[in-house]
Amino acid sequence: MNKKTFLTFFSLFIAGNFLIFLLCFERGINVTPDSTQYVGAAKYLAEFKGFRNPLTYWNIEEESMPMTHWPPFYPVAISLFIFLKIPPFTSPILLNMLLFGLLTAFSFFIMLQLTRDFKISLLTGLFFLFSYPIIEIYTFA
């Protein structure tokens, strides 16, 4: 990887992180009913109570059931942040920042490997960086 490619990769990664940071820390993270389930399950994992699914987020200590119907990556990743004493609804913001930064940077890198054309690869990275539907997805927990 030459210097120009590395700087572009790193710049797209930082720009992706910064964009989600601005959107989520300015107006907060968007939440759906599923989000509370993910964050609740992550809270259980961080407290070593098992891979459990809260029936309601407000009654998280009293009611739960084993989590069997969702993929485990997102709750496990969030639980790592919660385990490090980061608040439960700040953890998804940090995780989404990292994931969105990686998406934009790797989209550039993969397209560069496929086409060997720097301009097309840069446009691909910028497309992901400024795509409203993708940005909106990464502002949800």
Side-chain angles (χ1 to χ4, degrees), residues 40-78:
K43 188 171 183 282
Y44 277 121
L45 282 170
E47 295 172 352
F48 299 105
K49 294 181 180 175
F51 200 57
R52 303 193 62 74
N53 185 22
L55 298 177
T56 62
Y57 188 77
W58 300 271
N59 210 6
I60 196 168
E61 299 303 326
E62 289 83 24
E63 299 177 3
S64 69
M65 58 186 251
M67 186 178 209
T68 58
H69 58 285
W70 284 329
F73 170 75
Y74 201 65
V76 169
I78 293 171

Coordinates of all heavy atoms in Angstrom, one line a residue, residues 40-78:
G40 N -30.3 -4.1 26.1 CA -30.7 -4.8 27.3 C -29.9 -6.1 27.4 O -29.3 -6.5 28.4
A41 N -29.8 -6.8 26.3 CA -29.1 -8.1 26.2 C -27.6 -7.8 26.4 O -26.9 -8.6 27.1 CB -29.3 -8.8 24.9
A42 N -27.1 -6.7 25.9 CA -25.7 -6.4 26.1 C -25.4 -6.1 27.6 O -24.4 -6.4 28.1 CB -25.3 -5.1 25.3
K43 N -26.4 -5.4 28.2 CA -26.2 -5.1 29.7 C -26.2 -6.4 30.5 O -25.4 -6.5 31.4 CB -27.4 -4.3 30.1 CG -27.3 -3.7 31.5 CD -28.4 -2.7 31.8 CE -28.3 -2.1 33.2 NZ -28.7 -2.9 34.2
Y44 N -27.0 -7.4 30.1 CA -26.9 -8.7 30.8 C -25.6 -9.3 30.6 O -25.0 -9.9 31.6 CB -28.0 -9.6 30.3 CG -29.4 -9.5 30.9 CD1 -30.5 -9.2 30.1 CD2 -29.6 -9.6 32.3 CE1 -31.7 -9.0 30.7 CE2 -30.8 -9.5 32.8 CZ -31.9 -9.2 32.1 OH -33.1 -9.0 32.6
L45 N -25.1 -9.3 29.4 CA -23.8 -9.9 29.1 C -22.7 -9.2 29.9 O -21.8 -9.9 30.4 CB -23.5 -9.8 27.6 CG -24.1 -10.9 26.7 CD1 -23.9 -10.5 25.3 CD2 -23.6 -12.3 27.0
A46 N -22.7 -7.9 29.9 CA -21.6 -7.1 30.6 C -21.7 -7.4 32.1 O -20.6 -7.3 32.8 CB -21.8 -5.6 30.3
E47 N -22.8 -7.7 32.6 CA -23.0 -8.0 34.1 C -22.8 -9.5 34.4 O -23.1 -9.9 35.5 CB -24.3 -7.5 34.6 CG -24.4 -6.0 34.5 CD -25.8 -5.5 34.8 OE1 -26.8 -6.3 35.0 OE2 -26.0 -4.2 34.9
F48 N -22.4 -10.3 33.4 CA -22.2 -11.7 33.5 C -23.5 -12.5 33.9 O -23.4 -13.4 34.7 CB -21.1 -12.0 34.4 CG -19.8 -11.5 34.0 CD1 -19.2 -10.3 34.6 CD2 -19.1 -12.0 32.9 CE1 -18.0 -9.8 34.2 CE2 -17.9 -11.5 32.5 CZ -17.3 -10.4 33.1
K49 N -24.6 -12.0 33.4 CA -25.9 -12.7 33.7 C -26.4 -13.6 32.6 O -27.5 -14.1 32.6 CB -27.0 -11.6 34.0 CG -26.7 -10.8 35.3 CD -27.8 -9.8 35.5 CE -27.5 -9.0 36.8 NZ -28.5 -8.0 37.0
G50 N -25.5 -13.8 31.6 CA -25.9 -14.7 30.5 C -26.4 -13.9 29.3 O -26.6 -12.7 29.3
F51 N -26.6 -14.7 28.2 CA -27.1 -14.2 27.0 C -28.6 -14.2 27.1 O -29.3 -15.0 26.5 CB -26.6 -15.0 25.8 CG -26.6 -14.3 24.5 CD1 -26.0 -13.0 24.3 CD2 -27.3 -14.8 23.4 CE1 -26.0 -12.4 23.1 CE2 -27.3 -14.1 22.2 CZ -26.7 -12.9 22.1
R52 N -29.2 -13.1 27.7 CA -30.6 -13.1 28.0 C -31.2 -11.9 27.3 O -30.5 -10.9 27.0 CB -30.8 -13.0 29.5 CG -30.2 -14.2 30.2 CD -30.6 -14.4 31.6 NE -32.0 -14.6 31.8 CZ -32.7 -15.8 31.5 NH1 -32.0 -16.8 31.0 NH2 -34.0 -15.9 31.8
N53 N -32.5 -12.0 27.1 CA -33.2 -11.0 26.4 C -34.2 -10.4 27.3 O -35.1 -11.1 27.8 CB -33.9 -11.7 25.2 CG -34.7 -10.7 24.3 OD1 -34.4 -9.5 24.3 ND2 -35.6 -11.2 23.6
P54 N -34.1 -9.1 27.6 CA -35.1 -8.5 28.5 C -36.5 -8.4 27.9 O -36.6 -8.1 26.7 CB -34.6 -7.1 28.8 CG -33.7 -6.8 27.6 CD -33.1 -8.1 27.2
L55 N -37.5 -8.7 28.6 CA -38.8 -8.6 28.1 C -39.3 -7.2 27.9 O -39.9 -6.8 27.0 CB -39.8 -9.3 29.0 CG -39.6 -10.8 29.1 CD1 -40.6 -11.5 30.1 CD2 -39.6 -11.5 27.8
T56 N -38.9 -6.3 28.9 CA -39.0 -4.9 28.7 C -37.8 -4.2 29.3 O -37.2 -4.7 30.2 CB -40.2 -4.4 29.6 OG1 -40.0 -4.6 30.9 CG2 -41.5 -5.0 29.1
Y57 N -37.4 -3.1 28.7 CA -36.1 -2.5 29.1 C -36.3 -1.9 30.5 O -35.4 -1.8 31.3 CB -35.7 -1.4 28.1 CG -34.3 -0.9 28.5 CD1 -33.2 -1.6 28.2 CD2 -34.2 0.3 29.1 CE1 -31.9 -1.2 28.5 CE2 -32.9 0.8 29.5 CZ -31.8 0.0 29.2 OH -30.6 0.5 29.5
W58 N -37.5 -1.4 30.8 CA -37.7 -0.7 32.1 C -37.7 -1.7 33.2 O -37.5 -1.3 34.3 CB -39.0 0.0 32.0 CG -39.0 1.0 30.9 CD1 -38.5 2.3 31.0 CD2 -39.3 0.9 29.6 NE1 -38.6 2.9 29.8 CE2 -39.1 2.1 28.9 CE3 -39.8 -0.2 28.8 CZ2 -39.3 2.2 27.5 CZ3 -40.1 0.0 27.5 CH2 -39.8 1.2 26.8
N59 N -38.0 -2.9 33.0 CA -38.1 -3.9 34.0 C -37.0 -5.0 33.8 O -37.2 -6.2 34.0 CB -39.5 -4.6 34.0 CG -39.9 -5.1 35.3 OD1 -39.3 -4.8 36.3 ND2 -41.0 -5.8 35.4
I60 N -35.8 -4.5 33.5 CA -34.7 -5.4 33.0 C -34.2 -6.3 34.1 O -33.8 -7.4 33.8 CB -33.6 -4.5 32.4 CG1 -32.7 -5.4 31.6 CG2 -32.9 -3.8 33.5 CD1 -31.7 -4.6 30.8
E61 N -34.3 -5.9 35.3 CA -33.8 -6.7 36.4 C -34.7 -7.9 36.8 O -34.2 -9.0 37.1 CB -33.5 -5.9 37.7 CG -32.5 -4.8 37.5 CD -31.2 -5.3 37.0 OE1 -30.7 -6.4 37.4 OE2 -30.5 -4.5 36.2
E62 N -36.0 -7.7 36.6 CA -36.9 -8.8 37.0 C -37.3 -9.8 36.0 O -37.6 -10.9 36.2 CB -38.2 -8.1 37.6 CG -38.0 -7.4 39.0 CD -37.4 -6.0 38.8 OE1 -37.6 -5.4 37.7 OE2 -36.8 -5.5 39.7
E63 N -37.4 -9.3 34.7 CA -38.0 -10.1 33.7 C -37.0 -10.3 32.5 O -36.4 -9.4 32.0 CB -39.2 -9.5 33.1 CG -40.3 -9.3 34.1 CD -41.5 -8.6 33.4 OE1 -41.5 -8.3 32.2 OE2 -42.5 -8.3 34.2
S64 N -36.7 -11.6 32.2 CA -35.8 -11.9 31.1 C -36.1 -13.3 30.6 O -36.7 -14.1 31.3 CB -34.4 -11.7 31.4 OG -34.0 -12.7 32.3
M65 N -35.6 -13.6 29.4 CA -35.6 -14.9 28.9 C -34.4 -15.1 28.0 O -33.7 -14.2 27.6 CB -36.9 -15.1 28.0 CG -37.0 -14.1 26.8 SD -38.5 -14.3 26.0 CE -38.0 -15.0 24.5
P66 N -34.0 -16.4 27.8 CA -32.8 -16.6 27.0 C -32.9 -16.0 25.6 O -34.0 -16.1 25.0 CB -32.7 -18.1 26.9 CG -33.5 -18.6 28.0 CD -34.6 -17.6 28.3
M67 N -31.9 -15.4 25.1 CA -31.9 -14.8 23.8 C -31.6 -15.9 22.7 O -30.5 -16.5 22.7 CB -30.8 -13.7 23.7 CG -30.9 -12.9 22.4 SD -29.7 -11.6 22.5 CE -30.4 -10.4 21.5
T68 N -32.6 -16.1 21.9 CA -32.4 -17.2 20.9 C -32.7 -16.8 19.4 O -32.5 -17.5 18.5 CB -33.4 -18.3 21.2 OG1 -34.7 -17.8 21.2 CG2 -33.1 -19.0 22.5
H69 N -33.2 -15.5 19.2 CA -33.7 -15.2 17.9 C -32.9 -14.1 17.2 O -33.3 -13.6 16.2 CB -35.2 -14.9 17.9 CG -35.5 -13.8 18.9 ND1 -35.5 -13.9 20.2 CD2 -35.8 -12.5 18.6 CE1 -35.9 -12.8 20.8 NE2 -36.0 -11.9 19.9
W70 N -31.8 -13.6 17.8 CA -31.1 -12.5 17.1 C -29.6 -12.9 17.0 O -29.1 -13.7 17.8 CB -31.1 -11.2 18.0 CG -32.4 -10.5 17.9 CD1 -33.2 -10.4 16.8 CD2 -32.9 -9.7 18.9 NE1 -34.3 -9.6 17.1 CE2 -34.1 -9.1 18.4 CE3 -32.6 -9.3 20.2 CZ2 -34.9 -8.3 19.1 CZ3 -33.4 -8.5 20.9 CH2 -34.6 -8.0 20.3
P71 N -28.9 -12.4 16.0 CA -27.5 -12.7 15.9 C -26.8 -12.1 17.0 O -27.1 -11.0 17.5 CB -27.1 -12.1 14.5 CG -28.3 -11.5 14.0 CD -29.5 -11.6 14.9
P72 N -25.7 -12.7 17.5 CA -25.1 -12.2 18.8 C -24.1 -11.1 18.6 O -23.7 -10.5 19.6 CB -24.4 -13.5 19.3 CG -24.1 -14.3 18.1 CD -25.3 -14.0 17.2
F73 N -23.6 -10.8 17.4 CA -22.5 -9.8 17.3 C -22.8 -8.5 17.9 O -22.0 -8.0 18.7 CB -22.1 -9.6 15.8 CG -21.1 -8.5 15.6 CD1 -19.8 -8.7 16.0 CD2 -21.6 -7.2 15.2 CE1 -18.9 -7.6 15.8 CE2 -20.7 -6.2 15.1 CZ -19.3 -6.4 15.4
Y74 N -23.9 -7.9 17.6 CA -24.2 -6.5 18.1 C -24.3 -6.5 19.6 O -23.6 -5.6 20.2 CB -25.4 -6.0 17.4 CG -25.5 -4.5 17.4 CD1 -24.5 -3.7 16.7 CD2 -26.5 -3.8 18.1 CE1 -24.6 -2.3 16.7 CE2 -26.6 -2.4 18.1 CZ -25.6 -1.7 17.4 OH -25.7 -0.3 17.4
P75 N -25.1 -7.3 20.3 CA -25.1 -7.3 21.7 C -23.7 -7.6 22.4 O -23.4 -7.0 23.4 CB -26.1 -8.3 22.1 CG -27.0 -8.5 20.9 CD -26.1 -8.2 19.7
V76 N -23.0 -8.5 21.8 CA -21.7 -8.9 22.3 C -20.7 -7.7 22.2 O -20.0 -7.3 23.2 CB -21.1 -10.1 21.7 CG1 -19.6 -10.3 22.1 CG2 -21.9 -11.3 22.0
A77 N -20.7 -7.0 21.1 CA -19.9 -5.9 20.9 C -20.2 -4.7 21.8 O -19.4 -4.1 22.4 CB -19.9 -5.4 19.4
I78 N -21.5 -4.5 21.9 CA -22.0 -3.4 22.8 C -21.6 -3.7 24.3 O -21.2 -2.9 25.1 CB -23.5 -3.2 22.7 CG1 -23.8 -2.6 21.3 CG2 -24.0 -2.2 23.8 CD1 -25.3 -2.5 21.0

